[in-house]
Amino acid sequence: MQISGYLFALLVWCGLTSSAPTGNETGSGGDKPPLLLVSFDGFRADYLKKYTLPNLEKFFSCGVLVKELTNVFITKTFPNHYSLVTGLYAESHGILASMMYDPVSNMNFSIQNSSDPFWWNKAKPIWVSVEESGYRAASAMWPGTNVKIQNHTLEYKFDYDPKVSFRERLGNLTGWITKNKSVKFASLYWEEPDRSGHQYGPEDSTEMARVLQEVDNLVGVLMDHLNETGLWGKINIIITSDHGMTQCSEDRLIKLDNCVSPDSYRVVDLTPVGAIIPLTDNLTVYKNLSSCHNHMKVYLKDDLPDRLHYKNNVRTQPIILMADEGWTIVKNGRLPRLGDHGYDNTLPSMHPFLAAQGPAFRKGYKMSSFNSVDLYPLMCHLVGVLPEPNNGSFAHVRCMLVNEQCNELALAVGAVIGVLIILTTFTCLFRLMKNRDVSSPRPFARLELEDDDDDEPLLQ
Ligand code: AMP
Ligand code: ZN
Ligand code: ZN
């Protein structure tokens, strides 16, 4: 009784708060409803299983939940936020880490000093394509949106300021969407639960329950605000994240200075993926690092596994270190953070989730996984712009959409056709056998006739 009551309430809520699909989601260009993309930094996929998050559950119960996204290497904030909006791996879009050095221009990049277009220009993010197509895009602090990329600056944007509240970020975006009907794409960035994950570690269930409760309240704020502004049910909304988080500890430290002479190498970026420039003999530094620690893999740039999509860029340094899950690389000091990310992107703890809601999306639909680069072709489809060349695949995501025939359906149809073919074949074979059985006495019949023939003279 309780369950059916809950289901009924949910259906009523979905029905009351979201209008039926209008068909607009399949239109082109100006017919398409706006898309709001929200990132809660560092929201690990399994937080959804471990904690009770009623607003998020309410959000995806009327839409789609993708339980786990395979994000890109390295599993850091800037590389992954840029992959989400370009559909490219880090080696192709050029934002390879939080700290970078470009040996050709001799320039340095850090999150705090990231606004030079030079670092971003290799790729064209979706907001530039949207504006080049004659529509408008808006952003509240999505990494890269404050940069003049491919000679394009956003007018509707909020420069990065961690003190600005979620409500203010959201209010500005919805203000722009309602004021200007040509705004087709809006992106919003929020710092939690990444900040608390670093500070307390993801295994601190008290602190994580607290911050996830806060994040869940913000999802409630989002839904209420969209209802109040009349946008709920009319725009498409995607809530996702860039990466997960894993627990670190003081007893899992890898100290580089114990293995190599401090003046024989330069650290561009350190943990959990180290980017190292040897200052003396390359091979000696490589050999010393290689034998440094069982929980640290050491690669010469060219030997990096292809699956990481990380070696084909001048900004990838000559030696790359990769700490095992939960291990921290330092030059010499102490543990910097109780939680961290950046590790191998095949680790489930590094994976974020995705939830989507709106006229384009199926309701109450769950998917286990796809690649975070697949989101880009999906978003281009939703806003009606032509995707740039990318590493994603629309075929992986089309199941999320109401008006798309998805692979599952194709598989089901294929299975039915297969069964029908088999049944027909068996029926034909059976009939054939049966006919053969009936016709098998014929030779004897003919023999009898032959007998008759033999008897012919007698009849005459
Ligand atoms: P990380 O955990 O090192 O991958 O980076 C996450 C941090 O990046 C967050 O805590 C934010 O404070 C910071 N951050 C996010 N977006 C921006 C931005 N656009 N400009 C500067 N810092 C940012
Ligand atoms: Zn992040
Ligand atoms: Zn972080």
Side-chain angles (χ1 to χ4, degrees), residues 365-448:
Y365 184 67
K366 289 191 180 171
M367 286 172 81
S368 52
S369 167
F370 59 73
N371 298 323
S372 66
V373 288
D374 296 331
L375 187 62
Y376 171 77
L378 172 72
M379 294 195 300
C380 288
H381 173 86
L382 290 174
V383 296
V385 298
L386 217 58
E388 293 290 313
N390 64 84
N391 300 118
S393 163
F394 182 68
H396 294 166
V397 294
R398 66 192 318 160
C399 279
M400 298 169 73
L401 303 173
V402 267
N403 286 344
E404 284 291 323
Q405 287 231 325
C406 70
N407 289 344
E408 274 179 342
L409 193 66
L411 272 178
V413 171
V416 170
I417 292 173
V419 168
L420 282 177
I421 290 173
I422 291 169
L423 281 178
T424 316
T425 314
F426 272 115
T427 313
C428 289
L429 276 172
F430 182 70
R431 290 226 170 124
L432 215 79
M433 298 286 279
K434 226 173 145 190
N435 285 347
R436 280 183 78 187
D437 284 350
V438 172
S439 59
S440 56
R442 266 189 173 169
F444 295 105
R446 232 181 264 128
L447 272 178
E448 277 167 29

Coordinates of all heavy atoms in Angstrom, one line a residue, residues 365-448:
Y365 N 13.7 6.5 -16.5 CA 14.6 5.6 -17.3 C 16.0 5.6 -16.7 O 16.5 6.6 -16.3 CB 14.6 6.1 -18.7 CG 15.4 5.2 -19.6 CD1 15.0 3.9 -20.0 CD2 16.7 5.6 -20.2 CE1 15.7 3.1 -20.8 CE2 17.4 4.8 -21.0 CZ 16.9 3.6 -21.3 OH 17.7 2.8 -22.1
K366 N 16.6 4.4 -16.6 CA 17.9 4.3 -16.0 C 18.9 3.6 -16.9 O 18.5 2.7 -17.6 CB 17.8 3.5 -14.7 CG 17.2 4.3 -13.6 CD 17.3 3.6 -12.2 CE 16.6 4.5 -11.2 NZ 16.5 3.9 -9.9
M367 N 20.1 4.1 -17.0 CA 21.1 3.5 -17.8 C 22.3 3.3 -16.9 O 22.5 4.0 -15.9 CB 21.6 4.5 -18.9 CG 20.6 4.7 -20.0 SD 21.2 6.0 -21.1 CE 22.4 5.1 -22.1
S368 N 23.1 2.2 -17.2 CA 24.2 2.0 -16.2 C 25.4 2.9 -16.5 O 26.0 3.4 -15.5 CB 24.6 0.5 -16.3 OG 24.9 0.2 -17.7
S369 N 25.7 3.2 -17.8 CA 26.9 3.9 -18.0 C 27.1 4.4 -19.4 O 26.5 3.8 -20.3 CB 28.1 3.0 -17.6 OG 29.3 3.6 -18.1
F370 N 27.8 5.5 -19.6 CA 28.4 5.9 -20.9 C 29.6 6.8 -20.7 O 29.9 7.0 -19.5 CB 27.4 6.4 -21.9 CG 26.6 7.7 -21.5 CD1 27.3 8.9 -21.5 CD2 25.3 7.6 -21.2 CE1 26.6 10.1 -21.2 CE2 24.6 8.8 -20.9 CZ 25.2 10.0 -20.8
N371 N 30.2 7.2 -21.7 CA 31.5 8.0 -21.6 C 31.1 9.5 -21.4 O 30.2 9.9 -22.1 CB 32.4 7.8 -22.8 CG 32.8 6.4 -22.9 OD1 33.1 5.7 -21.9 ND2 32.9 5.9 -24.1
S372 N 31.8 10.2 -20.6 CA 31.5 11.6 -20.4 C 31.6 12.4 -21.8 O 30.9 13.4 -22.0 CB 32.3 12.2 -19.3 OG 33.6 12.3 -19.7
V373 N 32.5 11.9 -22.7 CA 32.6 12.6 -24.0 C 31.3 12.4 -24.8 O 31.1 13.2 -25.8 CB 33.9 12.2 -24.8 CG1 35.1 12.7 -24.1 CG2 33.9 10.7 -24.9
D374 N 30.5 11.4 -24.5 CA 29.3 11.2 -25.3 C 28.2 12.3 -25.0 O 27.2 12.4 -25.7 CB 28.6 9.9 -24.9 CG 29.5 8.7 -25.3 OD1 30.3 8.8 -26.3 OD2 29.5 7.6 -24.6
L375 N 28.4 13.0 -23.9 CA 27.5 14.1 -23.6 C 27.4 15.2 -24.6 O 26.4 15.8 -24.9 CB 27.8 14.6 -22.2 CG 26.8 15.6 -21.6 CD1 25.5 14.9 -21.3 CD2 27.3 16.2 -20.3
Y376 N 28.6 15.5 -25.2 CA 28.7 16.6 -26.1 C 27.8 16.4 -27.4 O 27.0 17.3 -27.7 CB 30.2 16.8 -26.5 CG 30.3 17.7 -27.7 CD1 30.2 19.1 -27.5 CD2 30.6 17.3 -29.0 CE1 30.4 20.0 -28.5 CE2 30.8 18.2 -30.0 CZ 30.7 19.6 -29.8 OH 30.8 20.4 -30.8
P377 N 27.9 15.2 -28.1 CA 26.9 15.1 -29.2 C 25.5 15.1 -28.8 O 24.6 15.6 -29.5 CB 27.3 13.7 -29.8 CG 28.2 13.0 -28.9 CD 28.8 14.1 -28.0
L378 N 25.2 14.6 -27.5 CA 23.8 14.7 -27.0 C 23.4 16.1 -26.9 O 22.3 16.5 -27.3 CB 23.7 14.0 -25.7 CG 22.3 14.1 -25.0 CD1 21.3 13.3 -25.7 CD2 22.4 13.8 -23.5
M379 N 24.2 16.9 -26.3 CA 23.9 18.3 -26.1 C 23.7 19.1 -27.4 O 22.8 19.9 -27.5 CB 24.9 19.0 -25.1 CG 24.9 18.4 -23.7 SD 25.8 19.4 -22.5 CE 27.4 19.5 -23.2
C380 N 24.6 18.8 -28.3 CA 24.5 19.5 -29.7 C 23.1 19.1 -30.3 O 22.5 20.0 -30.9 CB 25.6 19.0 -30.6 SG 27.2 19.7 -30.1
H381 N 22.7 17.8 -30.1 CA 21.4 17.4 -30.7 C 20.3 18.2 -30.0 O 19.4 18.6 -30.6 CB 21.3 15.9 -30.4 CG 20.0 15.3 -30.8 ND1 19.6 14.9 -32.0 CD2 18.9 15.2 -30.0 CE1 18.4 14.5 -32.0 NE2 17.9 14.6 -30.8
L382 N 20.4 18.3 -28.6 CA 19.4 19.0 -27.9 C 19.2 20.4 -28.2 O 18.1 20.9 -28.2 CB 19.6 18.8 -26.4 CG 19.5 17.4 -25.8 CD1 19.9 17.4 -24.3 CD2 18.0 16.9 -25.9
V383 N 20.3 21.1 -28.5 CA 20.2 22.5 -28.8 C 20.2 22.8 -30.3 O 20.0 24.0 -30.7 CB 21.3 23.4 -28.1 CG1 21.2 23.3 -26.6 CG2 22.7 23.0 -28.5
G384 N 20.4 21.8 -31.1 CA 20.3 22.0 -32.5 C 21.5 22.6 -33.2 O 21.3 23.4 -34.1
V385 N 22.7 22.3 -32.7 CA 23.9 22.8 -33.4 C 24.7 21.6 -33.9 O 24.6 20.5 -33.4 CB 24.8 23.7 -32.5 CG1 24.1 24.9 -32.1 CG2 25.4 22.9 -31.4
L386 N 25.4 21.9 -35.0 CA 26.2 20.8 -35.6 C 27.4 20.5 -34.7 O 28.2 21.4 -34.4 CB 26.7 21.3 -37.0 CG 26.8 20.3 -38.1 CD1 25.4 19.7 -38.4 CD2 27.3 21.0 -39.4
P387 N 27.6 19.2 -34.3 CA 28.8 19.0 -33.5 C 30.1 19.1 -34.2 O 30.2 18.8 -35.4 CB 28.6 17.5 -33.0 CG 27.5 17.0 -33.8 CD 26.9 18.0 -34.6
E388 N 31.1 19.6 -33.5 CA 32.5 19.6 -34.1 C 33.0 18.2 -34.0 O 32.5 17.4 -33.3 CB 33.4 20.5 -33.2 CG 33.0 22.0 -33.2 CD 33.4 22.6 -34.5 OE1 34.5 22.4 -35.0 OE2 32.6 23.3 -35.1
P389 N 34.1 17.9 -34.7 CA 34.7 16.5 -34.6 C 35.0 16.2 -33.1 O 35.5 17.1 -32.4 CB 36.0 16.6 -35.4 CG 35.7 17.7 -36.4 CD 34.8 18.7 -35.7
N390 N 34.5 15.1 -32.7 CA 34.7 14.8 -31.2 C 34.9 13.3 -31.0 O 34.7 12.5 -31.9 CB 33.5 15.3 -30.5 CG 32.2 14.6 -30.9 OD1 31.9 13.5 -30.4 ND2 31.4 15.1 -31.9
N391 N 35.2 12.9 -29.7 CA 35.5 11.5 -29.4 C 34.2 10.8 -28.8 O 34.3 9.7 -28.3 CB 36.6 11.5 -28.3 CG 37.9 12.0 -28.8 OD1 38.4 13.0 -28.3 ND2 38.4 11.5 -29.8
G392 N 33.1 11.5 -28.8 CA 31.9 10.9 -28.3 C 31.0 10.2 -29.3 O 31.4 10.2 -30.5
S393 N 29.9 9.6 -28.9 CA 29.0 8.9 -29.8 C 27.6 9.1 -29.4 O 27.2 8.8 -28.3 CB 29.4 7.4 -29.8 OG 28.3 6.7 -30.4
F394 N 26.8 9.7 -30.3 CA 25.4 9.9 -30.1 C 24.7 8.6 -29.9 O 23.7 8.5 -29.1 CB 24.8 10.7 -31.2 CG 23.3 11.1 -31.0 CD1 22.9 11.9 -30.0 CD2 22.4 10.5 -31.8 CE1 21.6 12.2 -29.8 CE2 21.0 10.8 -31.6 CZ 20.6 11.6 -30.6
A395 N 25.1 7.5 -30.6 CA 24.5 6.2 -30.5 C 24.5 5.7 -29.0 O 23.6 5.0 -28.6 CB 25.2 5.2 -31.3
H396 N 25.5 6.1 -28.2 CA 25.5 5.7 -26.8 C 24.5 6.3 -25.9 O 24.2 5.9 -24.8 CB 26.9 6.0 -26.2 CG 28.0 5.2 -26.8 ND1 29.4 5.5 -26.6 CD2 28.0 4.1 -27.6 CE1 30.1 4.6 -27.3 NE2 29.3 3.8 -28.0
V397 N 24.0 7.5 -26.3 CA 23.1 8.3 -25.5 C 21.7 8.4 -25.9 O 20.8 8.9 -25.2 CB 23.7 9.7 -25.3 CG1 25.0 9.7 -24.5 CG2 23.9 10.4 -26.6
R398 N 21.4 8.0 -27.2 CA 20.1 8.2 -27.7 C 19.0 7.6 -27.0 O 17.8 8.1 -27.0 CB 20.1 7.8 -29.2 CG 20.2 6.4 -29.5 CD 20.4 6.0 -30.9 NE 19.6 6.8 -31.8 CZ 19.9 7.0 -33.1 NH1 21.0 6.5 -33.6 NH2 19.2 7.7 -33.9
C399 N 19.3 6.5 -26.2 CA 18.2 5.8 -25.4 C 17.6 6.8 -24.4 O 16.5 6.5 -23.9 CB 18.8 4.6 -24.7 SG 19.0 3.2 -25.7
M400 N 18.3 7.8 -24.0 CA 17.8 8.7 -23.0 C 16.6 9.6 -23.5 O 15.9 10.2 -22.8 CB 18.9 9.7 -22.6 CG 20.1 9.1 -21.9 SD 21.4 10.3 -21.8 CE 20.8 11.3 -20.4
L401 N 16.5 9.6 -24.9 CA 15.6 10.6 -25.4 C 14.2 10.0 -25.8 O 14.2 8.8 -26.3 CB 16.2 11.2 -26.7 CG 17.5 11.9 -26.4 CD1 18.2 12.3 -27.7 CD2 17.4 13.1 -25.5
V402 N 13.1 10.7 -25.6 CA 11.8 10.2 -25.9 C 11.6 9.9 -27.4 O 11.0 8.9 -27.7 CB 10.7 11.2 -25.5 CG1 10.2 10.9 -24.1 CG2 11.0 12.6 -25.6
N403 N 12.1 10.8 -28.2 CA 11.8 10.6 -29.6 C 12.9 9.9 -30.4 O 12.9 10.0 -31.7 CB 11.6 12.0 -30.3 CG 10.3 12.6 -29.8 OD1 9.4 11.8 -29.3 ND2 10.1 13.9 -30.0
E404 N 13.7 9.2 -29.8 CA 14.8 8.4 -30.5 C 14.6 6.9 -30.3 O 14.2 6.5 -29.3 CB 16.2 8.8 -29.9 CG 16.7 10.1 -30.3 CD 17.0 10.2 -31.8 OE1 17.5 9.2 -32.4 OE2 16.7 11.2 -32.4
Q405 N 14.8 6.2 -31.4 CA 14.8 4.8 -31.4 C 16.1 4.4 -30.8 O 17.2 4.8 -31.3 CB 14.7 4.2 -32.8 CG 13.3 4.4 -33.4 CD 12.8 3.0 -33.9 OE1 13.6 2.3 -34.4 NE2 11.5 2.8 -33.8
C406 N 16.1 3.7 -29.6 CA 17.4 3.4 -29.0 C 17.9 2.0 -29.3 O 17.1 1.2 -29.8 CB 17.4 3.7 -27.5 SG 16.5 2.5 -26.6
N407 N 19.1 1.8 -29.0 CA 19.7 0.5 -29.3 C 18.9 -0.7 -28.7 O 18.8 -1.7 -29.3 CB 21.1 0.4 -28.7 CG 22.1 1.3 -29.6 OD1 21.7 1.7 -30.7 ND2 23.2 1.6 -29.0
E408 N 18.4 -0.4 -27.5 CA 17.7 -1.4 -26.8 C 16.5 -1.9 -27.6 O 16.2 -3.1 -27.7 CB 17.1 -0.9 -25.4 CG 18.1 -1.0 -24.3 CD 17.5 -0.4 -23.1 OE1 16.6 0.4 -23.2 OE2 18.1 -0.7 -22.0
L409 N 15.8 -0.9 -28.2 CA 14.6 -1.2 -29.0 C 15.0 -1.9 -30.2 O 14.4 -2.9 -30.6 CB 13.9 0.1 -29.4 CG 12.5 0.0 -29.9 CD1 11.6 -0.5 -28.9 CD2 12.0 1.3 -30.5
A410 N 16.1 -1.5 -30.8 CA 16.6 -2.1 -32.0 C 17.0 -3.6 -31.7 O 16.7 -4.5 -32.5 CB 17.9 -1.4 -32.6
L411 N 17.6 -3.8 -30.5 CA 18.0 -5.1 -30.1 C 16.7 -6.0 -29.9 O 16.7 -7.1 -30.4 CB 18.7 -5.1 -28.8 CG 20.2 -4.9 -28.8 CD1 20.8 -4.8 -27.4 CD2 20.8 -6.1 -29.6
A412 N 15.7 -5.4 -29.3 CA 14.4 -6.1 -29.0 C 13.8 -6.5 -30.4 O 13.4 -7.7 -30.6 CB 13.5 -5.3 -28.2
V413 N 13.8 -5.5 -31.3 CA 13.2 -5.8 -32.6 C 14.0 -6.9 -33.3 O 13.4 -7.8 -33.9 CB 13.1 -4.5 -33.5 CG1 12.7 -4.8 -34.9 CG2 12.1 -3.5 -32.8
G414 N 15.3 -6.7 -33.2 CA 16.2 -7.7 -33.8 C 16.0 -9.1 -33.3 O 15.9 -10.1 -34.1
A415 N 15.8 -9.2 -32.0 CA 15.6 -10.5 -31.3 C 14.2 -11.1 -31.8 O 14.2 -12.3 -32.1 CB 15.5 -10.3 -29.8
V416 N 13.2 -10.3 -31.9 CA 11.9 -10.8 -32.3 C 12.0 -11.3 -33.8 O 11.5 -12.4 -34.1 CB 10.8 -9.6 -32.2 CG1 9.5 -10.1 -32.9 CG2 10.5 -9.3 -30.8
I417 N 12.7 -10.5 -34.6 CA 12.8 -10.9 -36.0 C 13.6 -12.2 -36.1 O 13.3 -13.1 -36.8 CB 13.5 -9.8 -36.9 CG1 12.6 -8.6 -37.0 CG2 13.9 -10.3 -38.3 CD1 13.2 -7.3 -37.6
G418 N 14.7 -12.3 -35.3 CA 15.5 -13.5 -35.2 C 14.7 -14.7 -34.9 O 14.7 -15.8 -35.5
V419 N 13.8 -14.6 -33.8 CA 13.0 -15.7 -33.4 C 12.0 -16.1 -34.5 O 11.8 -17.3 -34.8 CB 12.2 -15.3 -32.1 CG1 11.2 -16.3 -31.8 CG2 13.2 -15.2 -30.9
L420 N 11.4 -15.0 -35.2 CA 10.5 -15.3 -36.3 C 11.2 -16.1 -37.4 O 10.6 -17.0 -37.9 CB 9.9 -14.0 -36.8 CG 8.8 -13.4 -35.9 CD1 8.4 -12.1 -36.5 CD2 7.6 -14.3 -35.8
I421 N 12.4 -15.7 -37.7 CA 13.1 -16.3 -38.8 C 13.4 -17.8 -38.4 O 13.1 -18.7 -39.2 CB 14.5 -15.6 -39.1 CG1 14.2 -14.3 -39.8 CG2 15.4 -16.5 -40.0 CD1 15.4 -13.4 -39.9
I422 N 13.8 -18.0 -37.2 CA 14.1 -19.4 -36.7 C 12.8 -20.3 -36.8 O 12.8 -21.4 -37.3 CB 14.7 -19.4 -35.3 CG1 16.1 -18.8 -35.4 CG2 14.7 -20.8 -34.7 CD1 16.7 -18.5 -34.0
L423 N 11.7 -19.7 -36.3 CA 10.4 -20.4 -36.3 C 10.0 -20.7 -37.7 O 9.6 -21.9 -38.0 CB 9.3 -19.5 -35.6 CG 9.4 -19.6 -34.0 CD1 8.3 -18.7 -33.5 CD2 9.1 -21.0 -33.5
T424 N 10.1 -19.7 -38.6 CA 9.7 -20.0 -40.0 C 10.6 -21.1 -40.6 O 10.0 -22.0 -41.3 CB 9.9 -18.7 -40.8 OG1 9.4 -17.6 -40.0 CG2 9.1 -18.7 -42.1
T425 N 11.9 -21.0 -40.3 CA 12.8 -22.0 -40.9 C 12.4 -23.4 -40.4 O 12.3 -24.4 -41.2 CB 14.2 -21.7 -40.5 OG1 14.5 -20.4 -40.7 CG2 15.2 -22.6 -41.3
F426 N 12.1 -23.5 -39.1 CA 11.7 -24.8 -38.5 C 10.4 -25.3 -39.1 O 10.3 -26.5 -39.5 CB 11.6 -24.8 -37.0 CG 13.0 -25.0 -36.3 CD1 13.6 -24.0 -35.6 CD2 13.6 -26.3 -36.4 CE1 14.9 -24.3 -35.0 CE2 14.8 -26.5 -35.9 CZ 15.4 -25.5 -35.1
T427 N 9.4 -24.4 -39.3 CA 8.1 -24.8 -39.8 C 8.3 -25.3 -41.2 O 7.8 -26.3 -41.6 CB 7.2 -23.5 -39.8 OG1 7.3 -22.9 -38.6 CG2 5.8 -23.9 -40.1
C428 N 9.1 -24.6 -42.1 CA 9.4 -25.0 -43.4 C 10.0 -26.4 -43.5 O 9.6 -27.3 -44.2 CB 10.3 -24.0 -44.2 SG 9.4 -22.5 -44.5
L429 N 11.0 -26.5 -42.6 CA 11.8 -27.8 -42.6 C 10.8 -28.9 -42.2 O 10.8 -30.0 -42.8 CB 12.9 -27.7 -41.6 CG 14.2 -27.1 -42.1 CD1 15.2 -27.0 -41.0 CD2 14.8 -28.1 -43.2
F430 N 10.0 -28.7 -41.2 CA 9.0 -29.7 -40.7 C 8.1 -30.1 -41.8 O 7.9 -31.3 -42.1 CB 8.3 -29.0 -39.5 CG 7.3 -30.0 -38.9 CD1 7.7 -31.1 -38.1 CD2 5.9 -29.8 -39.0 CE1 6.8 -31.9 -37.6 CE2 5.0 -30.6 -38.4 CZ 5.5 -31.7 -37.7
R431 N 7.6 -29.1 -42.5 CA 6.6 -29.3 -43.6 C 7.3 -30.2 -44.7 O 6.7 -31.1 -45.3 CB 6.1 -28.0 -44.3 CG 5.2 -27.3 -43.3 CD 4.0 -26.8 -44.1 NE 3.0 -26.3 -43.1 CZ 2.5 -25.0 -43.2 NH1 2.9 -24.2 -44.1 NH2 1.6 -24.7 -42.3
L432 N 8.5 -29.8 -45.0 CA 9.3 -30.4 -46.1 C 9.5 -31.9 -45.7 O 9.3 -32.8 -46.5 CB 10.7 -29.8 -46.2 CG 11.2 -29.7 -47.6 CD1 10.6 -28.6 -48.4 CD2 12.7 -29.4 -47.5
M433 N 9.8 -32.1 -44.4 CA 10.1 -33.5 -44.0 C 8.8 -34.3 -44.1 O 8.8 -35.5 -44.5 CB 10.5 -33.5 -42.5 CG 11.8 -32.8 -42.3 SD 13.2 -33.8 -42.8 CE 13.4 -34.9 -41.5
K434 N 7.7 -33.6 -43.7 CA 6.4 -34.3 -43.7 C 6.0 -34.7 -45.1 O 5.6 -35.8 -45.4 CB 5.3 -33.3 -43.1 CG 4.4 -34.0 -42.1 CD 3.5 -33.0 -41.5 CE 2.2 -33.7 -41.2 NZ 1.2 -32.8 -40.8
N435 N 6.2 -33.7 -46.1 CA 5.9 -34.0 -47.5 C 6.8 -35.2 -48.0 O 6.3 -36.0 -48.7 CB 6.2 -32.8 -48.3 CG 5.1 -31.8 -48.1 OD1 4.1 -32.1 -47.6 ND2 5.4 -30.5 -48.6
R436 N 8.0 -35.2 -47.5 CA 8.9 -36.3 -48.0 C 8.4 -37.6 -47.5 O 8.4 -38.6 -48.1 CB 10.3 -36.1 -47.5 CG 11.1 -35.1 -48.4 CD 12.5 -34.9 -47.9 NE 13.3 -36.0 -48.4 CZ 14.6 -36.2 -48.0 NH1 15.1 -35.3 -47.1 NH2 15.3 -37.2 -48.4
D437 N 7.9 -37.6 -46.2 CA 7.3 -38.8 -45.6 C 6.2 -39.3 -46.4 O 6.0 -40.5 -46.7 CB 6.8 -38.5 -44.2 CG 8.0 -38.5 -43.2 OD1 9.1 -38.8 -43.6 OD2 7.8 -38.1 -42.0
V438 N 5.3 -38.4 -46.9 CA 4.1 -38.8 -47.6 C 4.5 -39.3 -49.0 O 3.9 -40.3 -49.5 CB 3.1 -37.5 -47.8 CG1 2.0 -37.8 -48.7 CG2 2.6 -37.1 -46.4
S439 N 5.5 -38.6 -49.6 CA 5.8 -39.0 -51.0 C 6.8 -40.2 -51.0 O 7.0 -40.8 -52.1 CB 6.5 -37.8 -51.7 OG 7.6 -37.5 -50.9
S440 N 7.3 -40.7 -49.8 CA 8.2 -41.8 -49.9 C 7.7 -43.1 -50.4 O 8.4 -43.8 -51.0 CB 8.9 -42.0 -48.5 OG 7.9 -42.1 -47.5
P441 N 6.3 -43.4 -50.2 CA 5.9 -44.7 -50.8 C 5.8 -44.7 -52.3 O 5.6 -45.7 -52.9 CB 4.4 -44.9 -50.2 CG 4.3 -43.9 -49.1 CD 5.3 -42.8 -49.5
R442 N 5.9 -43.5 -52.9 CA 5.8 -43.4 -54.4 C 6.6 -44.4 -55.2 O 6.0 -45.1 -56.1 CB 6.2 -42.0 -54.8 CG 5.0 -41.1 -54.9 CD 5.4 -39.8 -55.5 NE 4.2 -39.0 -55.8 CZ 4.3 -37.8 -56.1 NH1 5.5 -37.2 -56.3 NH2 3.2 -37.1 -56.3
P443 N 7.8 -44.6 -54.9 CA 8.6 -45.6 -55.7 C 7.8 -46.9 -55.8 O 7.7 -47.6 -56.8 CB 9.9 -45.7 -55.0 CG 10.1 -44.5 -54.2 CD 8.7 -44.0 -53.9
F444 N 7.3 -47.3 -54.6 CA 6.6 -48.6 -54.6 C 5.3 -48.5 -55.4 O 5.0 -49.4 -56.2 CB 6.1 -49.0 -53.1 CG 7.4 -49.2 -52.2 CD1 7.7 -48.2 -51.3 CD2 8.1 -50.3 -52.4 CE1 8.8 -48.4 -50.5 CE2 9.2 -50.5 -51.6 CZ 9.6 -49.6 -50.6
A445 N 4.7 -47.3 -55.4 CA 3.5 -47.1 -56.2 C 3.9 -47.3 -57.7 O 3.2 -48.0 -58.4 CB 2.9 -45.8 -56.0
R446 N 5.1 -46.7 -58.0 CA 5.5 -46.8 -59.4 C 5.8 -48.3 -59.7 O 5.5 -48.8 -60.8 CB 6.7 -45.9 -59.6 CG 6.5 -45.0 -60.8 CD 7.7 -44.2 -61.0 NE 7.6 -42.9 -60.4 CZ 8.4 -42.3 -59.6 NH1 9.5 -43.0 -59.3 NH2 8.2 -41.1 -59.1
L447 N 6.4 -48.9 -58.7 CA 6.7 -50.3 -58.9 C 5.4 -51.1 -59.2 O 5.4 -51.9 -60.2 CB 7.4 -50.9 -57.7 CG 8.9 -50.8 -57.6 CD1 9.4 -51.4 -56.3 CD2 9.5 -51.5 -58.8
E448 N 4.4 -50.7 -58.4 CA 3.1 -51.4 -58.7 C 2.6 -51.2 -60.1 O 2.2 -52.1 -60.8 CB 2.1 -50.9 -57.7 CG 2.2 -51.6 -56.3 CD 1.3 -50.9 -55.3 OE1 0.3 -50.3 -55.6 OE2 1.7 -51.0 -54.1

